[in-house]
Amino acid sequence: MSDQNVEPSTEGWFDKENNIRKVLRVLFVACAVFLVVDIVYWATGYDKHPYLKWETWPGFYAVYGFVACVVLTLAAKYILRPLVKRSEDFYTKGGDDA
Amino acid sequence: MPDSISAIPPAFLYLLGALLMPFLRGWLRQTVALAIPLVALGNYFLIEKGVHWQFQLLDFQLILGRADGWSLIFLNIFTILSFCGILYILKDNKALDLAAGLLYAGSAMGVIMAGDLITLFLFWEMLTLGAVMCLIARRTERSGAAAYRYVLMHILGGVILLAGLMIHISSGGSTEFTQIELTGVGPWLMFIGFGINCAWPVVGAWLTDTYPEASFGGVIFMATYTTKTAVYVLARTFPGEEILIWVGVIMATLPLLYAVIENDLRRVLAYGLINQVGIMVIGVGLGTALSLNGTAAHAYCHILYKALLFMALGSIIYRTGKSKATELGGLWRSMPVTCAFCCIGALAMATPLLCGFVSKSMIMSTAAKKGEFIVWAAILFATAGAFYQVGLKVVFRAFFSRKVDHNVQEAPANQLIAMAFVAILCIVVGSFPHSYLYTMLPNPEASYNPYTLSHVTDQIALLLFAGLAFALLIRAGLYPAEVRATNLDFDYVYRKSGKLIYRIFDFSLNHINRIGKTLFVGGIAGGAAKIFDSAPTRLYLAIMQPVWKSQGLTVEQIDDKREDTYREARRGAFPIGITAFLAVILLALLALFTGILNAKS
């Protein structure tokens, strides 16, 4: 089976900081492109057939996606975790678990 | 009388297969296990729309085959997935695992093809047995304990459902499996009974508690059948109940918070599962033709991509024995193909050209059209959050994240083929919805086109910025570190309160007992107690003795076995499988007798 957590003998593509930067750069560019596309819709008055007026605001989906994820993460980290975190053997120690 | 002569009830086919598994060996077992879903697929195409396979039991009409738009789309995906699941676990050729998968699939198909509530209930209880077998198939102490908790919760759910069913029928309700008005005790109990299997908030804690303890392949069947069967049943019995909208909103959003801080990646997927089932429940609650189509379509798509994700993690467990984020990372190096499939599974949650994109949006559109802004925003949040939290996190933590090398092999060929099959379906369903998925929807009059230019670009923007948030939070060190921990959930109630309940019962019952003893000392009570005490054991022996005889055991050997059984029963050390089996039989008998009594009165 496995030799666990051994440092890899050879450096792979994803191990190089340079390549990770490249991936991130592609992500940034893609984000920018789709933000621009949405602004173009708004500027040209392109009919999105929206159900709700928010959908026509430029960058609504981008901002919503970003903010939703940041809020989700920070709420889980700073609110939920302090409330519910227990030791890993919480249910097995003491022997009163089914 | 069957009106379609060539097709047979799919549930029977699978149950036959499951029964055969222990008696077959080697390649023969593998062939039969794989042949069952293939035959079932052929059988699926023979089933014509209409009502088939009806039987008369006392005053009740049992209908084993109601084939219409609703049941056939579920039967379609259940059959396809059973093939992929069996193929995935085929290599190890373990009778228990294969039988569990077949039994599970068969019971789920029994439920969705049922045309009356009694048939529904019988197959509903069998689902629990399938799940329990998937749990004990992991063959660890933890999985055994999880199986025990699973049984407890589902027996509770089954009893609530049974009580509701009996009250509903005895107060003049029909046994027909159709829309029921949510008024009165009976329908409410049934509603809650269904809800327990649907993993509703609070009562659904069993799901994230037990799924991560299942065998590497068993969890695929668990993730596919139980909750989706419950969604199907809710959609047929209680469509348009407004309370379901809000139940769904809670399911779709809150579990994501847990997914952020959870370390076990299969549990992360389990939270994601509840989140997506929540969206389906919203669709049922909205209750329009389009939203119900959305529920059916999303169940179909979710089964596909969730199975793919669970398969990818299953292969990781198969090779490394690990499933926790703190122990994984860097697996793209040794398991690149599995990694690619996992990425497809994550993208399939919501990306255009993949399956999740064409299903969820029907429910969102309905919410918007009905002016349910909060519901619409919640589904959008759930979409972005699930992709970000479940998809990206699982892929990143399992395959990238750290420079560790597990030095393991790629997943075995059968697992890769199963994953490839599901991945291709994710792409086909997502890319050609009008020629495949949409042709099967239960309400063909509600048309929908997901591929408008702005819908595609908006969705991509949403997901890209979710990805951006993930990348920036990780780089900035703000993303919560994966730590080894237990996060309290509602399973606490039944896992930790055991002692308290024991003390309460100990105190109260012992007092009652003492009073009873002084009033009622005598042989009758003692004798009756003995009978009930050993009833399950006697029942078990009555079934098993002919089986032992047929296996060619001698009289002495059978006597030994009987002694062993009594001894184990006294110690309370019955294996979980047997306990579950007996509980199901007892419940079925209870249902039958009550039915008889009701029919007579």
Side-chain angles (χ1 to χ4, degrees):
Chain A
M1 288 290 274
S2 76
D3 296 328
Q4 41 181 286
N5 295 4
V6 180
E7 278 285 318
S9 43
T10 52
E11 285 252 300
W13 198 88
F14 284 107
D15 296 327
K16 298 196 177 96
E17 179 63 24
N18 229 358
N19 292 335
I20 293 172
R21 289 230 176 88
K22 273 184 207 161
V23 173
L24 285 177
R25 220 167 296 148
V26 172
L27 177 67
F28 295 151
V29 171
C31 284
V33 167
F34 279 89
L35 200 57
V36 169
V37 166
D38 211 27
I39 293 170
V40 170
Y41 285 150
W42 174 72
T44 58
Y46 172 81
D47 183 12
K48 279 186 166 189
H49 304 294
Y51 296 112
L52 305 168
K53 62 173 188 284
W54 319 328
E55 291 183 82
T56 55
W57 296 350
F60 170 76
Y61 281 90
V63 172
Y64 194 97
F66 188 84
V67 172
C69 294
V70 172
V71 168
L72 175 65
T73 309
L74 299 182
K77 184 177 180 181
Y78 294 112
I79 301 172
L80 187 65
R81 182 171 261 178
L83 287 176
V84 300
K85 191 179 149 205
R86 298 291 184 276
S87 73
E88 196 174 35
D89 58 356
F90 178 73
Y91 283 118
T92 41
K93 69 186 173 195
D96 59 348
D97 190 18
Chain B
M1 284 293 289
D3 9 315
S4 145
I5 295 161
S6 30
I8 55 167
F12 286 1
L13 197 60
Y14 282 87
L15 297 186
L16 176 73
L19 286 176
L20 282 175
M21 286 301 112
F23 301 103
L24 301 175
R25 294 277 173 276
W27 61 268
L28 187 62
R29 178 155 67 202
Q30 287 171 310
T31 313
V32 171
L34 203 56
I36 298 278
L38 286 175
V39 173
L41 200 59
N43 190 52
Y44 165 80
F45 289 107
L46 290 177
I47 299 175
E48 287 168 13
K49 284 194 176 174
V51 177
H52 315 292
W53 315 309
Q54 304 179 52
F55 303 94
Q56 192 73 26
L57 180 77
L58 304 168
D59 283 351
F60 299 115
Q61 178 89 338
L62 300 190
I63 301 164
L64 267 61
R66 174 179 48 177
D68 58 9
W70 268 111
S71 53
L72 287 179
I73 186 173
F74 277 83
L75 184 64
N76 179 292
I77 186 64
F78 280 6
T79 312
I80 291 175
L81 219 284
S82 70
F83 171 76
C84 301
I86 292 290
L87 178 62
Y88 184 84
I89 57 172
L90 198 64
K91 182 167 175 270
D92 295 282
N93 197 10
K94 288 185 178 143
L96 176 64
D97 300 48
L98 293 168
L102 291 172
L103 177 75
Y104 214 149
S107 341
M109 290 174 196
V111 173
I112 55 150
M113 294 306 287
D116 68 285
L117 294 169
I118 295 170
T119 312
L120 176 143
F121 178 77
L122 293 177
F123 284 112
W124 185 269
E125 289 302 308
M126 270 168 55
L127 274 174
T128 302
L129 188 56
V132 166
M133 285 163 70
C134 286
L135 282 165
I136 52 178
R138 181 98 184 256
R139 297 169 178 84
T140 62
E141 206 174 304
R142 278 179 71 92
S143 74
Y148 185 69
R149 296 195 298 272
Y150 191 97
V151 171
L152 286 185
M153 276 312 288
H154 285 261
I155 294 283
L156 176 70
V159 170
I160 292 174
L161 174 60
L162 182 64
L165 211 62
M166 290 190 304
I167 295 171
H168 173 65
I169 294 171
S170 63
S171 60
S174 146
T175 58
E176 204 189 338
F177 175 18
T178 181
Q179 189 167 351
I180 298 169
E181 210 182 326
L182 190 54
T183 47
V185 182
W188 267 100
L189 287 177
M190 287 163 68
F191 190 61
I192 294 166
F194 295 148
I196 289 179
N197 268 28
C198 196
W200 283 357
V202 183
V203 293
W206 57 267
L207 194 151
T208 43
D209 169 23
T210 57
Y211 279 21
E213 309 298 341
S215 68
F216 77 96
V219 72
I220 299 163
F221 297 97
M222 299 178 82
T224 301
Y225 294 119
T226 299
T227 45
K228 258 61 93 190
T229 308
V231 165
Y232 168 84
V233 171
L234 281 172
R236 295 216 81 141
T237 46
F238 300 105
E241 284 301 338
E242 207 189 327
I243 186 175
L244 285 176
I245 299 177
W246 301 106
V247 168
V249 165
I250 296 171
M251 289 171 75
T253 48
L254 289 188
L256 289 174
L257 285 168
Y258 272 94
V260 178
I261 53 172
E262 179 55 51
N263 186 26
D264 188 319
L265 293 181
R266 289 208 296 180
R267 190 161 283 130
V268 173
L269 287 188
Y271 281 117
L273 196 158
I274 298 183
N275 141 276
Q276 296 301 307
V277 170
I279 296 178
M280 295 170 217
V281 172
I282 294 175
V284 177
L286 291 169
T288 67
L290 183 63
S291 79
L292 289 169
N293 271 356
T295 294
H298 196 46
Y300 197 102
C301 298
H302 179 253
I303 285 174
L304 286 174
Y305 70 72
K306 191 60 77 178
L308 187 53
L309 289 168
F310 269 119
M311 282 176 177
L313 280 186
S315 296
I316 292 177
I317 293 176
Y318 190 80
R319 286 304 191 203
T320 67
K322 299 177 169 69
S323 65
K324 289 183 179 150
T326 43
E327 296 166 341
L328 292 170
L331 275 168
W332 65 273
R333 209 175 284 108
S334 45
M335 302 179 81
V337 186
T338 309
C339 174
F341 287 136
C342 194
C343 291
I344 294 178
L347 289 172
M349 288 178 163
T351 320
L353 296 182
L354 292 160
C355 59
F357 177 71
V358 301
S359 56
K360 239 179 284 189
S361 38
M362 285 187 233
I363 301 170
M364 265 190 84
S365 298
T366 314
K369 269 188 209 161
K370 282 190 131 185
E372 299 272 9
F373 307 122
I374 299 172
V375 178
W376 182 86
I379 303 176
L380 194 61
F381 176 81
T383 307
F387 172 73
Y388 162 86
Q389 199 34 62
V390 182
L392 291 177
K393 173 171 172 170
V394 167
V395 170
F396 182 74
R397 291 295 186 203
F399 293 100
F400 300 97
S401 99
R402 289 178 302 154
K403 292 182 184 176
V404 287
D405 198 347
H406 290 274
N407 259 337
V408 290
Q409 281 182 300
E410 181 56 88
N414 67 308
Q415 296 181 7
L416 292 179
I417 296 169
M419 283 190 266
F421 201 81
V422 181
I424 290 169
L425 274 172
C426 284
I427 298 168
V428 171
V429 170
S431 302
F432 310 102
H434 289 288
S435 45
Y436 178 36
L437 181 66
Y438 289 1
T439 60
M440 291 190 284
L441 293 179
N443 303 313
E445 73 278 9
S447 66
Y448 183 75
N449 178 24
Y451 284 108
T452 62
L453 182 64
S454 57
H455 185 204
V456 171
T457 54
D458 284 346
Q459 185 82 359
I460 295 177
L462 180 81
L463 300 182
L464 277 173
F465 276 84
L468 182 70
F470 189 75
L472 293 181
L473 287 171
I474 292 259
R475 297 289 276 192
L478 281 171
Y479 194 88
E482 305 298 335
V483 290
R484 305 173 66 99
T486 299
N487 296 314
L488 295 188
D489 201 337
F490 281 99
D491 53 343
Y492 179 89
V493 176
Y494 62 86
R495 296 182 75 171
K496 273 288 180 183
S497 57
K499 252 185 184 165
L500 180 68
I501 291 173
Y502 174 80
R503 282 198 196 114
I504 293 170
F505 277 99
D506 185 41
F507 179 79
S508 55
L509 292 184
N510 276 336
H511 274 77
I512 295 170
N513 203 16
R514 219 166 293 144
I515 300 164
K517 217 173 181 180
T518 49
L519 289 175
F520 184 41
V521 189
I524 307 165
K530 213 178 241 172
I531 289 169
F532 284 108
D533 196 35
S534 58
T537 322
R538 282 163 199 263
L539 184 62
Y540 174 70
L541 285 173
I543 296 167
M544 287 315 288
Q545 274 177 2
V547 176
W548 290 333
K549 266 184 205 150
S550 71
Q551 285 176 334
L553 298 185
T554 62
V555 181
E556 289 80 31
Q557 280 172 318
I558 291 178
D559 280 344
D560 282 350
K561 272 189 175 270
R562 202 169 51 203
E563 277 304 303
D564 282 349
T565 311
Y566 274 117
R567 198 164 48 240
E568 285 196 344
R570 273 197 297 276
R571 280 194 323 194
F574 253 150
I576 286 135
I578 299 173
T579 315
F581 175 65
L582 290 172
V584 171
I585 289 183
L586 284 176
L587 274 176
L589 286 177
L590 185 60
L592 201 63
F593 285 130
T594 337
I596 293 169
L597 287 178
N598 277 334
K600 279 187 178 162
S601 60

